[in-house]
Amino acid sequence: MLSMFGLVGGLILLVVLTMRGMNLFISAPLCALLVALSNNMALLTGDTYFVSTYMSGFTSFIAAWFFMFLLGSLFGKFMEDTGAADSVARYIVDKLGMKKAVFAVVAACAILTYGGVNLFVVAFSVYPMALSLFKDANLPRRFIPATLAFGSVTFTMTSAGSPEIQNWIPIKYLGTTPYAGWEVSLVVAIFMALFGYWWLKKLISKAIANGEVFEHREDDPEIPQRDYPHPITGVIPLLVVLTLSFSLHSYFGHNALIVALAGGVISIWLINNKYFHNLNNAISEGTNGALIAIGNTAAVVGFGAVAKSTEAFQVAVNIMTQMPGNELIGAAVAVSVIAGLTGSASGGQVIALPLLAPHYIDQGVNPEQLHRVVAISSGALDTLPHNGYVVTTIRAICKETHASAYWSMFAMTGAVPLLGLILAIGLFIFI
């Protein structure tokens, strides 16, 4: 009982401290220590001890994603410093009008995500354009994280055909394809896209009606008046990233992003070299931004590593994976809760599927239906405040606070996917 209280209490404390803006390099290990102590985990020695477990999770994430974070951050900074992001933003506003600024950001994120670009990298890449669009349209900037996330982790990430890992993990355990349950997936994706966009626009409109406007900050990029590059020079690097990522994904997996982002960075430098305002400063800020972003995320991953190694977590997993009733509902609840505990959609799937898949398939559950339900459910409660993508996007990339930006982000990445999940289960059961 004490160990379970420690696990839940540690998670709640981490969420509270994150919402209050506490430094994650302090709060994440402190909350992980609380979980470890309540579960009688040795601190400094033993087969499985706190320091080793936490740092294993911390360093493994950095080892897997460092180059993607670095190149993604540099890509965004180069787009910003050359004025390419501003040029694209101004072109969109001129052609579509300021009312389409939100749509342009969502569409850019959706195209990149469905093209195989990692979610973190999409946020790095599109943020400079999003900032320019929100500035030109005079929209409250605290909604930028929600807009980026809506285009990345809702109707694209877990849909049939998506190259994102959340759609591919179930294949290993269920013997399905990336297009499993595509008919229902298409209906759910359209619902999430239309309803989510309507809700996002409503939230922004309400804020504007209350007097909110775009707020300029001292650390915003200040580029003096000069000739801007042609808008197409800002689109070409994005297309380079998208094309290389999509074409190389089957050969190199997520490591294809290293080549894709390197190609994007090089293409910006070649095409817009004469438009750089301060190349050395862009490299410095991009590097520092990458280190902060990956460090914050790794700190939370370390907490998840400690939590997963406890007996209380295993008990929770067993309870979640043995729920009575409809199998699709049981799978959805299990994956959603485990993803919430670990702060990871892929983590929720990897932990739950080895237990769920053989049990439910033996009972005659349709593997394609199970695949789609697991994929969609993994992308709902995973976006609690301590989720790595949430922390990176709100704090490191957009430089907002959880207090100002999180709730609109959760509406898009938590509530909308949950409604989509309910719709998917209903369609599978009754049709």
Side-chain angles (χ1 to χ4, degrees), residues 32-95:
L33 180 61
L34 172 63
V35 174
L37 290 173
S38 63
N39 280 268
N40 295 320
M41 180 184 291
L43 298 183
L44 299 174
T45 59
D47 295 331
T48 302
Y49 61 99
F50 168 72
V51 173
S52 174
T53 303
Y54 183 89
M55 291 310 300
S56 176
F58 187 99
T59 56
S60 63
F61 183 84
I62 292 178
W65 295 101
F66 173 75
F67 284 112
M68 285 74 136
F69 272 68
L70 176 62
L71 291 169
S73 183
L74 287 174
F75 183 85
K77 278 298 174 184
F78 280 18
M79 287 281 287
E80 179 183 283
D81 196 73
T82 59
D86 272 335
S87 182
V88 173
R90 292 181 178 189
Y91 179 82
I92 292 173
V93 169
D94 288 342
K95 296 298 182 182

Side-chain angles (χ1 to χ4, degrees), residues 114-330:
Y114 207 79
V117 180
N118 179 263
L119 308 172
F120 289 97
V121 175
V122 171
F124 277 119
S125 303
V126 180
Y127 172 69
M129 185 182 77
L131 183 65
S132 295
L133 283 168
F134 272 61
K135 178 177 62 178
D136 291 343
N138 199 28
L139 302 177
R141 63 191 298 162
R142 68 183 179 91
F143 289 99
I144 293 179
T147 307
L148 294 173
F150 173 61
S152 302
V153 303
T154 54
F155 59 94
T156 52
M157 182 181 79
T158 59
S159 295
S162 172
E164 297 297 332
I165 190 173
Q166 291 80 4
N167 184 46
W168 283 71
I169 290 175
I171 297 174
K172 174 182 177 181
Y173 301 96
L174 301 172
T176 49
T177 72
Y179 300 95
W182 70 267
E183 300 94 336
V184 167
S185 178
L186 179 61
V187 173
V188 172
I190 292 174
F191 164 76
M192 286 197 288
L194 295 178
F195 177 73
Y197 183 71
W198 170 83
W199 194 4
L200 178 60
K201 290 283 291 181
K202 186 176 180 65
L203 291 173
I204 295 175
S205 297
K206 183 178 180 181
I208 293 173
N210 290 333
E212 291 190 47
V213 295
F214 183 89
E215 297 180 1
H216 294 270
R217 296 175 182 164
E218 293 183 359
D219 58 350
D220 282 344
E222 289 293 340
I223 302 176
Q225 291 296 322
R226 50 96 184 270
D227 292 332
Y228 282 91
H230 192 279
I232 194 65
T233 66
V235 175
I236 290 175
L238 289 170
L239 293 177
V240 168
V241 174
L242 184 62
T243 302
L244 289 176
S245 175
F246 186 79
S247 60
L248 298 178
H249 182 81
S250 59
Y251 296 100
F252 303 116
H254 76 272
N255 285 325
L257 275 175
I258 297 176
V259 180
L261 287 168
V265 170
I266 292 171
S267 65
I268 296 175
W269 183 81
L270 290 175
I271 297 172
N272 289 325
N273 187 43
K274 67 178 181 179
Y275 291 100
F276 273 104
H277 173 55
N278 190 330
L279 177 58
N280 289 333
N281 186 61
I283 293 174
S284 177
E285 289 188 1
T287 302
N288 291 335
L291 291 175
I292 293 172
I294 198 170
N296 281 333
T297 308
V300 177
V301 173
F303 171 86
V306 173
K308 285 188 291 185
S309 66
T310 63
E311 182 179 349
F313 186 83
Q314 298 307 316
V315 171
V317 169
N318 289 334
I319 294 174
M320 289 296 102
T321 54
Q322 295 177 16
M323 291 182 60
N326 182 274
E327 293 84 357
L328 293 179
I329 296 177

Side-chain angles (χ1 to χ4, degrees), residues 22-38:
M22 186 173 182
N23 190 305
L24 282 164
F25 288 106
I26 303 298
S27 61
L30 277 178
C31 293
L33 180 61
L34 172 63
V35 174
L37 290 173
S38 63

